[in-house]
Amino acid sequence: MLDQLEVFRHMLEGSPVLLFAYSVSTGQVLYVNDTYERMFAPAKLATINDDLLWLLSCLPPEDQQYALSCLTDLANGEMHDDLLLRMQRQPNAPIQWLCMRARRTVASDGQVLLCGSVQDVTVDHEYTRNADKFMAKKNTTLEILSHDLAGPFNMLQQLATFFQERTQSLQDPQLEKMVTVMQDTCRDSVNLIREFVDSEFAESASVQLKRTRFDLAASLRQVMETYQRSEHLVAKRFSFSSTPEEIYIELDNNKFLQVVNNLLSNAIKFTREGGHISLTLEQEQDHVLVTVTDDGIGIPEKMQPVLFEKFTKARRPGLLGEKTTGLGMSIIQSLVRLHNGTISFESQENQGTTFYIRLPL
């Protein structure tokens, strides 16, 4: 009968997950299961310590810095979430996504060890990336449709009011009732559209954050491309820029894109036809800076101190009469803070508004 140690050894050798023990004290890998050879062929178990620099060189430069920084933190006793890393073992080869989990421990002989696992999550990552992509596209499309549909309804409501004024002298009860029905239907339809978008934002914002490492520049670029394709619908111009072209950061992708979508939606509501709305992303020394700028009507000075309050007195209808609950900016600030970031703004009446979001790298 197999003893427990032998059973455990067979389980380790047959695992699809790479398991390792690394001595921080000696800089040597003390143990790795045979999954290493299958995951990183043609590498061999016997040469694992000689392969460490080669493995590190297979990571893009920014991933190398990220991995070394996180592992140094772990060695010093700081906790870390899963490390998501890209690997490309040959030029032009497909990107392989690896998820590393590790924790610090001290062996009986006093050695500081990092013990953990490495798993190939390329398929899962691509699936999640595509799901996030279509989720962001759906949210962006909802925002565009809410403005696109609200415009005609608001125009019909204004026409109904005009008819009401011109036909008032006729004193026709049936005609007055029909005009009232037109006004109520238009108003309720606009409110229903806006409430649907707002309630989805509020509901999803209450879900716990799920952080992952992704290219923020690529995500924001996709969002803005959707807005740019719809410029004729909302009668606004949109632009996007990122410095550098790729910026990897740990965030809840869906939640943060909802923040950006909500800021862009507000910019659309308070920018006149033909106006310009820009989204920029910059990487600075210890943080990234996201800015949303419009040349709209701006925020009145008296409203600015209470803008981020729940059910704020700063709430006001958009230029086409779009309804607002006053919760949007409060939720945005909460989501930014959950990402350990800050949000601020500058605004001047009739000159526009710029929102600044700073997120730690």
Side-chain angles (χ1 to χ4, degrees), residues 42-245:
K44 299 295 181 182
L45 286 173
T47 60
I48 175 64
N49 284 298
D50 295 331
D51 292 344
L52 291 180
L53 288 178
W54 168 72
L55 289 170
L56 185 63
S57 70
C58 292
L59 306 180
E62 59 270 27
D63 286 44
Q64 293 180 28
Q65 291 182 331
Y66 171 70
L68 290 173
S69 174
C70 292
L71 292 173
T72 300
D73 291 343
L74 282 167
N76 291 330
E78 297 182 28
M79 296 299 295
H80 256 285
D81 294 330
D82 298 346
L83 310 184
L84 193 61
L85 303 169
R86 296 170 295 163
M87 174 171 279
Q88 189 174 32
R89 281 177 278 170
Q90 295 178 356
N92 302 320
I95 294 291
Q96 184 179 13
W97 287 88
L98 304 175
C99 178
M100 177 185 289
R101 300 178 176 92
R103 66 181 184 89
R104 180 184 186 272
T105 188
V106 179
S108 57
D109 61 359
Q111 287 190 76
V112 176
L113 306 179
L114 290 181
C115 300
S117 64
V118 178
Q119 188 172 5
D120 188 327
V121 293
T122 304
V123 174
D124 291 342
H125 180 79
E126 290 301 317
Y127 179 87
T128 301
R129 189 179 67 85
N130 282 327
D132 287 348
K133 174 183 174 182
F134 288 108
M135 180 70 74
K137 190 172 184 179
K138 180 265 295 181
N139 290 335
T140 304
T141 302
L142 278 177
E143 291 289 355
I144 293 169
L145 285 176
S146 72
H147 293 287
D148 188 36
L149 292 175
F153 280 123
N154 281 311
M155 183 178 294
L156 287 173
Q157 187 175 7
Q158 292 169 7
L159 289 173
T161 301
F162 174 77
F163 289 143
Q164 185 181 46
E165 293 173 353
R166 297 299 294 266
T167 59
Q168 197 168 20
S169 61
L170 299 176
Q171 295 184 346
D172 185 333
Q174 187 175 3
L175 186 59
E176 290 176 0
K177 184 177 180 179
M178 291 175 64
V179 172
T180 300
V181 169
M182 290 173 61
Q183 289 177 314
D184 292 343
T185 301
C186 291
R187 183 182 61 253
D188 293 343
S189 297
V190 171
N191 290 342
L192 181 64
I193 294 167
R194 194 64 250 170
E195 284 171 5
F196 176 74
V197 177
D198 288 344
S199 63
E200 176 156 325
F201 175 55
E203 182 179 348
S204 60
S206 64
V207 179
Q208 186 176 359
L209 292 186
K210 182 181 179 182
R211 295 172 182 267
T212 187
R213 188 163 177 264
F214 68 98
D215 183 358
L216 181 58
S219 294
L220 295 181
R221 188 176 292 109
Q222 288 173 355
V223 167
M224 288 304 283
E225 284 174 353
T226 303
Y227 279 106
Q228 287 168 337
R229 287 194 294 269
S230 305
E231 288 181 339
H232 64 288
L233 297 176
V234 295
K236 313 287 188 299
R237 293 177 294 111
F238 298 91
S239 63
F240 172 74
S241 65
S242 175
T243 308
E245 288 294 311

Side-chain angles (χ1 to χ4, degrees), residues 235-295:
K236 313 287 188 299
R237 293 177 294 111
F238 298 91
S239 63
F240 172 74
S241 65
S242 175
T243 308
E245 288 294 311
E246 292 184 349
I247 298 179
Y248 280 84
I249 187 171
E250 284 187 352
L251 288 176
D252 186 314
N253 193 21
N254 282 329
K255 296 290 185 300
F256 189 72
L257 291 186
Q258 283 183 306
V259 166
V260 173
N261 258 319
N262 204 274
L263 290 175
L264 291 169
S265 174
N266 286 338
I268 292 172
K269 282 195 292 189
F270 298 108
T271 301
R272 300 179 182 88
E273 290 190 2
H276 180 227
I277 298 169
S278 69
L279 175 64
T280 64
L281 175 65
E282 299 173 70
Q283 181 172 326
E284 302 186 356
Q285 185 173 0
D286 57 356
H287 68 274
V288 295
L289 175 65
V290 180
T291 61
V292 178
T293 303
D294 66 65
D295 55 6

